[in-house]
Amino acid sequence: MGFVKSLEKVSHCSVIVCGFLLMGMSVFIALEVVLRKFFSVSTKGADELSAYTFAIICAWSLSYTLIKKGHIRIDFLYSKLSFQVQRLLDIISFIALAVFVSPMTYYTFKTLNTSITRLSRANTPLQTPMWIPQVLWFSGILFFFIVVIVFTVVLLKMAWNRQFQDIADFAGCTVLDEEIKEESGIDIKKIQGLRGDKK
Amino acid sequence: MIWIVTLTVLILFLLASMTVGAAMGNLGFVLTKVFSTLPFHRAMGEVIWHVSSDYNLFAIPLYIMLGQLLVKSGIAQRTYRAMDKWLSWLPGGLLHANIASSAIFAATSGSSVATAATMGTISFPECRRFGYNEGFFAASIAAGGTLGILIPPSINLIVYGFLTNTSIPKLFLAGIVPGVLLAILFMVIIFMVCVINPSIGSDSTKATMAERLASIKDLIPIFMVFIVVLGSIYTGLATPTESAALGVLVSTAITAYYGKLNWKTFVEATEGTVKTTGMIMLILFAAYFLNFIFLSLGVTRQITDFIDALGFSASNTLFAIICMYIILGIFIETLSMMALTIPVVHPIIVSLGYDPIWFGVVMILLVEMALITPPVGLNLYVTQGVRGKGSIRDIILWIIPFVMAIALMIVLLVKFPALALMLT
């Protein structure tokens, strides 16, 4: 599990970097808007750099969402099934994710590789060599692939050792409390706890 | 034939609770392997680069960040208190404040769950203090929360615009009038219910004019965000992505003004933003890839031809599509529902001669309805979660009038498309 912990740490660091990228890009875009409106000049690169920033954030966000169980699964039938069957579906879900992410990683690498071998440049004033943003973008997807594979292996090991409760904690569908907390920062359990004390 | 396989495999994957993105992506692989000798799936790398470097989509994380920061700034409490002073004299009292502050908060936030959870946390203590009917109170918050995705900025509208190549600024403008009208409809319902049965509400409280005027200063920050975000789009000064970036800076300033800006706030807001972004983007990667496969294999055209061949009139087909969404909304999470269906439904709608911008707003209303209809109406569970006691059945019973209000709004939009299109 030590390896899983370090993956989570790397992912969390990437989140902080994404936060700075978002704030930094906001300042840059605002500058562009002000310059364009009041001085009729353009930085000529805000759009393009935003797009690259977004690509990097997208790629690196995938693994963090996975770690936080944020990727959506339809639990309509799932929630009505027995504990054991749910665990089977958890494992199938991860294998299916691995099946999807493996070719995704391969083909995104191909895209990067083409940019490197052909020395492709963006058709813009900046003429950015495409490999520069694409390396950062692909590294995020590669990291996602590693997380998916490691998690799948961990799950299979848990299944082999019949640690079903561990599988539920590690890969089960999210509970509503967690979902609300992630989306709005409100901790329902804490609120209910406080109300309970007052009674 | 191909679309029967598509549907069967898809339903199977989704029922098995496969991650939605993986289910759609894997479906794409299955379809190319079975129905084509050409390796369409090799375009995947280009497709994903195209989606992840889309300038318009960059607005999504920015709007989420904006909302996250505002929640942490405590601005929602202030808005609620101010609305309470202005509206509580009406029969139904605080219930009107619930809807009005949800609508205002919605104008700065792109998420319904966040709107419902935030408003619920603030208002429930008041509900108990004044002895409102808890089921109706909770229902008003669940319904008010859905305004988050209709009143711009709206992440769902950005997703719709991206998947259909429709102008996002126009979609935003189209959402304003129906959004405000729906808020008013909700308040009319509350008014009527409380006039018919006064025990549902509570004694009206009346604030003095001086108190009301004093409360305006609490509304100034949120109106600043509103003006910067929507005003810059409306005047053509900024694109949605630019307006979102400006909004992030203004909400950072507001958070700092209220003394809530620190490292912890930044980290938490970023965590929430990145997590939601990852969730949306995996689905969009897969949806775009699957759509590419659909187009390459001609699935989309087959379905459009099939619908044409049925020979239904445009309005009947539209009716069938709306019914399909109401049923789908009962089972499937809303973003997945949009990503799955829009690439197929949009060409049908356009071929029938309907305006894609108008349909975007209809679609959002259907999504709102899905958010408050059991068994998977997320907002019902969110408000029940915040409420913390009693049975969710109380809320489900009282949500019915609000669902009817949304249905009425859909009917109005179908009869008078100008409601959505007048500002665009």
Side-chain angles (χ1 to χ4, degrees):
Chain A
M1 288 302 270
F3 192 49
V4 171
K5 281 271 170 298
S6 27
L7 284 178
E8 289 180 358
K9 255 194 203 128
V10 173
S11 177
H12 195 260
C13 290
S14 79
V15 168
I16 304 296
V17 175
C18 286
F20 281 111
L21 282 176
L22 270 174
M23 295 310 267
M25 216 49 228
S26 299
V27 174
F28 190 52
I29 292 174
L31 196 72
E32 158 82 19
V33 174
V34 171
L35 284 176
R36 193 176 60 211
K37 173 71 186 167
F38 297 105
F39 304 97
S40 302
V41 280
S42 167
T43 54
K44 292 213 177 76
D47 296 10
E48 197 182 343
L49 291 179
S50 307
Y52 300 150
T53 310
F54 181 54
I56 295 163
I57 294 174
C58 276
W60 282 94
S61 67
L62 297 173
S63 48
Y64 183 72
T65 310
L66 183 73
I67 290 167
K68 291 287 168 185
K69 296 192 200 171
H71 288 302
I72 292 175
R73 294 168 61 187
I74 307 293
D75 60 357
F76 182 73
L77 185 64
Y78 178 94
S79 56
K80 294 176 178 58
L81 297 170
S82 72
F83 185 78
Q84 269 82 5
V85 181
Q86 283 186 357
R87 302 299 73 84
L88 180 66
L89 290 180
D90 289 341
I91 295 170
I92 292 177
S93 169
F94 260 86
I95 294 174
L97 191 60
V99 168
F100 171 60
V101 176
S102 309
M104 173 171 143
T105 314
Y106 176 72
Y107 289 115
T108 44
F109 174 71
K110 285 267 183 189
T111 302
L112 167 66
N113 199 27
T114 313
S115 300
I116 294 175
T117 49
R118 290 198 194 151
L119 297 167
S120 325
R121 281 174 181 274
N123 187 17
T124 56
L126 292 185
Q127 297 208 332
T128 318
M130 291 309 286
W131 66 267
I132 299 177
Q134 284 183 345
V135 161
L136 296 169
W137 165 74
F138 173 71
S139 56
I141 291 175
L142 182 66
F143 183 70
F144 180 48
F145 170 73
I146 294 170
V147 173
V148 170
I149 297 299
V150 169
F151 276 33
T152 312
V153 170
V154 168
L155 272 181
L156 288 172
K157 211 174 126 205
M158 284 173 175
W160 180 257
N161 295 334
R162 310 183 69 79
Q163 298 160 307
F164 295 123
Q165 188 55 49
D166 290 347
I167 298 179
D169 297 338
F170 194 69
C173 279
T174 33
V175 199
L176 185 71
D177 292 353
E178 298 169 17
E179 203 168 326
I180 295 176
K181 187 165 179 239
E182 289 297 331
E183 192 137 339
S184 63
I186 294 165
D187 192 341
I188 300 250
K189 283 215 181 88
K190 212 162 106 193
I191 299 168
Q192 286 167 0
L194 288 178
R195 282 196 199 130
D197 295 340
K198 273 182 202 162
K199 260 181 265 170
Chain B
M1 170 59 195
I2 186 168
W3 59 274
I4 297 174
V5 177
T6 307
L7 267 182
T8 321
V9 174
L10 185 65
I11 293 173
L12 201 74
F13 280 0
L14 290 181
L15 280 183
S17 78
M18 227 176 247
T19 311
V20 174
M24 292 162 86
N26 288 337
L27 173 64
F29 292 133
V30 170
L31 290 180
T32 13
K33 281 273 172 261
V34 177
F35 291 100
S36 171
T37 47
L38 297 171
F40 290 124
H41 58 275
R42 285 193 192 159
M44 195 180 198
E46 289 301 324
V47 168
I48 292 182
W49 170 251
H50 173 75
V51 178
S52 47
S53 63
D54 186 283
Y55 171 72
N56 288 321
L57 288 181
F58 187 39
I60 293 180
L62 291 171
Y63 280 128
I64 302 173
M65 187 78 174
L66 188 170
Q68 291 270 347
L69 284 170
L70 280 185
V71 168
K72 306 225 179 315
S73 74
I75 205 172
Q77 279 92 331
R78 292 166 198 274
T79 311
Y80 189 72
R81 258 180 276 142
M83 282 298 115
D84 170 27
K85 294 205 172 75
W86 282 92
L87 295 171
S88 284
W89 58 274
L90 287 160
L94 272 177
L95 294 160
H96 296 285
N98 289 348
I99 301 291
S101 12
S102 294
I104 294 177
F105 195 68
T108 57
S109 148
S111 150
S112 282
V113 171
T115 310
T118 312
M119 294 327 300
T121 324
I122 299 164
S123 61
F124 264 110
E126 305 291 310
C127 164
R128 297 203 169 114
R129 190 148 69 97
F130 292 106
Y132 284 84
N133 177 315
E134 281 196 20
F136 194 55
F137 198 90
S140 76
I141 290 166
T146 66
L147 294 169
I149 54 170
L150 181 57
I151 298 180
S154 155
I155 287 160
N156 295 56
L157 279 176
I158 297 177
V159 169
Y160 178 88
F162 174 72
L163 289 174
T164 60
N165 245 326
T166 315
S167 149
I168 294 168
K170 283 190 177 172
L171 284 167
F172 276 12
L173 296 175
I176 297 175
V177 176
V180 173
L181 268 184
L182 188 60
I184 295 174
L185 266 181
F186 284 164
M187 288 169 78
V188 170
I189 284 174
I190 291 171
F191 184 85
M192 290 193 319
V193 168
C194 292
V195 167
I196 297 169
N197 185 351
S199 70
I200 299 285
S202 165
D203 295 338
S204 304
T205 50
K206 205 171 174 183
T208 63
M209 208 51 183
E211 282 176 326
R212 281 183 193 165
L213 291 177
S215 74
I216 287 185
K217 79 169 191 335
D218 284 336
L219 291 176
I220 292 173
I222 203 154
F223 276 109
M224 264 166 52
V225 179
F226 183 74
I227 288 167
V228 166
V229 170
L230 282 187
S232 61
I233 297 177
Y234 192 75
T235 55
L237 175 68
T239 62
T241 305
E242 288 168 346
S243 100
L246 293 173
V248 168
L249 294 185
V250 174
S251 56
T252 310
I254 291 172
T255 316
Y257 175 75
Y258 287 128
K260 296 278 168 60
L261 189 65
N262 50 41
W263 179 247
K264 188 165 162 271
T265 309
F266 170 73
V267 171
E268 285 179 0
T270 308
E271 286 171 350
T273 307
V274 172
K275 188 193 151 192
T276 313
T277 307
M279 180 270 274
I280 297 172
M281 291 317 294
L282 185 69
I283 291 181
L284 282 189
F285 286 163
Y288 217 76
F289 170 65
L290 182 60
N291 191 27
F292 173 79
I293 301 287
F294 273 2
L295 288 171
S296 308
L297 296 178
V299 182
T300 318
R301 221 197 43 238
Q302 277 191 32
I303 295 178
T304 324
D305 288 350
F306 174 75
I307 304 273
D308 282 348
L310 289 178
F312 286 160
S313 69
S315 55
N316 282 350
T317 313
L318 180 69
F319 181 71
I321 288 174
I322 290 178
C323 290
M324 175 197 85
Y325 273 112
I326 294 176
I327 295 168
L328 272 183
I330 293 175
F331 303 101
I332 304 186
E333 185 275 336
T334 51
L335 183 80
S336 320
M337 173 172 93
M338 289 180 67
L340 275 170
T341 56
I342 288 173
V344 178
V345 170
H346 176 255
I348 300 176
I349 286 292
V350 172
S351 78
L352 292 173
Y354 289 107
D355 188 310
I357 299 214
W358 165 84
F359 185 68
V361 178
V362 174
M363 168 99 233
I364 297 297
L365 282 164
L366 288 163
V367 167
E368 287 189 80
M369 199 186 251
L371 280 170
I372 53 171
T373 37
V376 288
L378 193 52
N379 270 22
L380 295 174
Y381 293 91
V382 171
T383 31
Q384 173 64 20
V386 179
R387 180 183 170 210
K389 62 177 188 185
S391 161
I392 193 164
R393 283 174 198 284
D394 313 335
I395 310 182
I396 291 175
L397 177 72
W398 281 111
I399 203 75
I400 295 169
F402 294 104
V403 174
M404 280 158 57
I406 298 181
L408 176 65
M409 193 63 224
I410 295 175
V411 173
L412 282 175
L413 261 183
V414 172
K415 290 275 173 219
F416 309 103
L419 287 176
L421 300 174
M422 61 206 291
L423 290 180
T424 59

